[in-house]
Amino acid sequence: MRKQRRERGVVLLICLIVLVILLAGGVAVMRSMNTTLSSAGNLAFKRDLVNQGEQAAVKALALFNTGALSAVGADYNDVKASNYSAVRLDTNDRGIPLALLKDDLYTAKATDIIDRTTTDAVKIRYLIDRLCNTSGASSKSTCVYAPATTDVRGGSVQESGRPPPPKALVYRLSVRVDGPRDTQVFLQSSFTKPE
C-alpha cells in the first residue's frame, strides 16, 4: 500500500502572493492613467483659453484702428472704458500687471470684460498700457519706442539719401483668461500703433 502524501498548500500561498502583487501593479497603472488623462485635459483647457484670449487682441487693435484710441492724441490720457492706461502699469516679478491679478485694481483701471459664462464659463480680462512714464504727449525720453525697421530700398541711387522711417511708440496688451476647473492663462504682447 501506498501512503498518501498530505498537501501542504505551498503552491496556493505562492499564487496568492503573486495575485496581490499583480493587483497592486494594476492599481498603480490605473492611477497613472488617470493622472495622465487629467494632465492632458488641463493642457487642452489651457490651449483653448489661449485661443480665446486672442479675442482681446482683436478688440485692442480695433480700438486703435477705428475705436476710441484711433484719433491723433487719443492715447495721451487713460481711457477706462477701453481698458487703456497712458502710463506703464506696475507689474509683478513676472511682468504681469498687478491690476490683472487683483479685482479691485482691475475695476479701478478698466471696465470691459469679455464674459462668456453663459456658454463655456470663460472670462477674459485685458489691459492696454502705453509704455511711457508720464501721460500726455510722448517723447523719446519718457517712452519706449520700437527700433526703426530695416528700410528696403529699390535699386535707384537717388533714394539712398532718404531718411530712415520714424520710430513707433510701443504699447503692451496683457490678458488674463479664467476658465473651467480654475484654469488660468496669462498672455502678453507688445505692438505699435497700426497705420
Side-chain angles (χ1 to χ4, degrees):
M1 278 202 184
R2 254 175 160 194
K3 271 187 175 180
Q4 289 186 349
R5 291 192 326 176
R6 285 182 39 198
E7 295 181 14
R8 299 182 188 230
V10 175
V11 174
L12 181 61
L13 184 62
I14 292 173
C15 286
L16 286 175
I17 292 172
V18 168
L19 282 174
V20 168
I21 291 171
L22 288 174
L23 180 64
V27 169
V29 167
M30 290 294 289
R31 281 192 172 182
S32 174
M33 280 181 49
N34 286 341
T35 303
T36 303
L37 288 175
S38 177
S39 296
N42 286 342
L43 288 174
F45 276 130
K46 284 191 175 192
R47 185 70 230 162
D48 180 52
L49 294 181
V50 167
N51 291 340
Q52 292 200 34
E54 296 292 326
Q55 295 176 49
V58 170
K59 202 163 194 175
L61 290 176
L63 286 170
F64 280 96
N65 284 332
T66 58
L69 301 172
S70 61
V72 175
D75 62 344
Y76 288 178
N77 298 305
D78 293 354
V79 181
K80 185 176 178 179
S82 298
N83 295 14
Y84 174 76
S85 172
V87 180
R88 180 182 305 172
L89 297 170
D90 293 331
T91 62
N92 66 3
D93 58 342
R94 293 185 173 195
I96 299 170
L98 298 176
L100 276 182
L101 299 173
K102 299 181 180 177
D103 290 340
D104 56 337
L105 293 176
Y106 185 80
T107 55
K109 286 283 182 192
T111 58
D112 191 20
I113 298 175
I114 303 170
D115 194 358
R116 300 191 49 189
T117 54
T118 56
T119 57
D120 50 6
V122 173
K123 188 181 287 187
I124 304 168
R125 297 177 179 204
Y126 67 96
L127 292 168
I128 306 164
D129 57 333
R130 185 175 73 154
L131 298 183
C132 292
N133 295 331
T134 60
S135 59
S138 61
S139 69
K140 293 189 183 203
S141 63
T142 61
C143 296
V144 175
Y145 281 85
T149 58
T150 55
D151 193 18
V152 179
R153 300 175 186 215
S156 174
V157 176
Q158 298 164 347
E159 291 187 18
S160 62
R162 195 169 71 187
K167 294 185 176 189
L169 184 59
V170 177
Y171 300 87
R172 175 177 55 191
L173 171 66
S174 303
V175 183
R176 171 183 158 186
V177 187
D178 297 326
R181 290 190 191 174
D182 294 327
T183 309
Q184 196 172 63
V185 172
F186 290 92
L187 307 168
Q188 201 167 61
S189 61
S190 57
F191 63 95
T192 59
K193 197 168 190 176
E195 296 298 325

